[in-house]
Amino acid sequence: MATFQAADINTKPLQAGGEGNAVIYDGTANPTAGASGDIIRPTKIPAGTRVTGVRIVNDDLDSNAGPTIAAKVGYSYVDGSAAPAGADTAFAAAGDTVLQSPGNKELRFYPITIEKDAFLEIVLTAAAATFAPGKVCGIVSGASLGAK
């Protein structure tokens, strides 16, 4: 299993004031392989962020019709500790075809507050018939409530 993350994921400055500020965090990873179980981490989500939107913008990573590349979209804690049940599918359930064709996709979910620093995490649940390397950008929007 491979992990692909944005080159600046640990150095990009993130504004996270405790005043309920509207925030947008974005980053781009460049996966070069697409096996089931591979992890794509385009950006970090600071502790205390109430996530109200996630968009995925990607190149065509699946250059064949079948089988279709599939993934689940959620988050994992930066420190490696266990995230709450359902965190791995908080933004899109396993089997979602968000990466199948190029474009800009808005994911649908109820708002969720991230309690600790986390990665936006896209985990492949099915490999593409013909994987094509490309960019995967994650854009997280919400409100910075401040860490507890």
Side-chain angles (χ1 to χ4, degrees), residues 17 29 62 67 75 83-84 87 109 141:
D62 189 351
Y75 65 93
F109 56 91
S141 57

Side-chain angles (χ1 to χ4, degrees), residues 8-16 23-27 43-44 46:
D8 62 351
I9 199 164
N10 288 314
T11 58
K12 190 175 194 176
L14 301 174
Q15 157 60 14
V23 292
I24 296 176
Y25 306 111
D26 69 280
T43 193
K44 258 202 256 192

Side-chain angles (χ1 to χ4, degrees), residues 90-141:
F91 309 126
D96 195 293
T97 56
V98 65
L99 298 176
Q100 182 186 10
S101 56
N104 182 340
K105 293 101 180 173
E106 183 79 30
L107 304 181
R108 307 278 183 219
F109 56 91
Y110 289 103
I112 184 168
T113 300
I114 307 297
E115 300 297 337
K116 297 166 63 173
D117 288 347
F119 294 112
L120 173 64
E121 195 163 83
I122 303 164
V123 179
L124 300 186
T125 57
T130 308
F131 182 81
K135 296 178 184 176
V136 177
C137 176
I139 305 164
V140 176
S141 57

Side-chain angles (χ1 to χ4, degrees), residues 32-73:
T32 57
S36 183
D38 282 357
I39 300 168
I40 303 169
R41 293 178 174 158
T43 193
K44 258 202 256 192
I45 307 168
T49 301
R50 182 159 176 81
V51 178
T52 58
V54 173
R55 281 188 295 149
I56 304 295
V57 181
N58 60 280
D59 292 335
D60 188 359
L61 303 178
D62 189 351
S63 62
N64 198 340
T68 299
I69 191 170
K72 58 184 176 178
V73 184

